[in-house]
Amino acid sequence: MTKQTTTKGIDSQTAISFWHQNEHRARLTALGIAVVIAALALPIMLSEYSDGLAAVSYLLGTGIGVMLIIAPHLGRTKHKHRRVLISTSARQLAQQEFNAYHKAHAIGMIFGIWMCIASIAPAVMLNDSLGAASFMIFVAIGVFFLVYVNLISGAYRRLTKEHARLN
């Protein structure tokens, strides 16, 4: 059983720093996932010309995507299970930021879902490798927005509670 300790407070300055770090992590993670999905478009397009080039492009794209996903998590070995007390002022600031982000979150969600649904159009209209590749690109863009806005929203929401795990 892991012992959870509670340490004294996160203030508003620390909360702002946490949100900046989380924004960077969210951007890289969402981009990495999108690159892994978009990497599927390259072999679809290149398979007509060279199977070897298609395979290499897929492996390269997937490798870059995976690097983007894990890069923000490298070197973070500190206190994964430590819960911290969030000061009242930081919780109030977090609630304001969370409420202010609501509109951007809704727009990002709508756009991400719309891109995933719209991805069907090029696949149906073009009915060839360009249509299939376009499908993957549209899905990658949609997934980027869905992952990004949810990670940002979660960071604001996390600090609205009295105690939080900051890992």
Side-chain angles (χ1 to χ4, degrees), residues 28-154:
L28 289 178
T29 302
L31 183 60
I33 293 169
V35 167
V36 167
I37 294 168
L40 293 169
L42 290 171
I44 292 170
M45 291 296 298
L46 296 173
S47 64
E48 294 178 13
Y49 306 106
S50 166
D51 287 339
L53 185 59
V56 169
S57 68
Y58 172 70
L59 292 173
L60 185 63
T62 302
I64 291 170
V66 169
M67 282 181 11
L68 288 168
I69 292 168
I70 65 171
H73 303 285
L74 294 176
R76 293 182 352 153
T77 59
K78 305 190 259 182
H79 315 293
K80 276 189 144 181
H81 300 288
R82 187 167 77 193
R83 292 174 52 88
V84 293
L85 181 65
I86 311 299
S87 71
T88 303
S89 62
R91 283 196 318 265
Q92 290 170 345
L93 177 62
Q95 190 63 53
Q96 289 172 353
E97 293 292 329
F98 181 66
N99 293 340
Y101 191 70
H102 180 71
K103 184 176 180 180
H105 180 260
I107 290 169
M109 290 292 293
I110 290 167
F111 184 74
I113 292 168
W114 182 84
M115 286 297 287
C116 289
I117 292 169
S119 67
I120 297 167
V124 171
M125 290 173 21
L126 298 175
N127 201 21
D128 61 2
S129 62
L130 179 60
S134 298
F135 170 82
M136 296 311 298
I137 299 296
F138 274 54
V139 169
I141 293 168
V143 168
F144 170 84
F145 277 95
L146 293 171
V147 170
Y148 179 76
V149 298
N150 280 305
L151 288 175
I152 297 296
S153 179

Side-chain angles (χ1 to χ4, degrees), residues 5-18:
T5 59
T6 302
T7 60
K8 291 191 179 178
I10 293 252
D11 60 3
S12 297
Q13 284 300 105
T14 308
I16 291 168
S17 173
F18 168 74

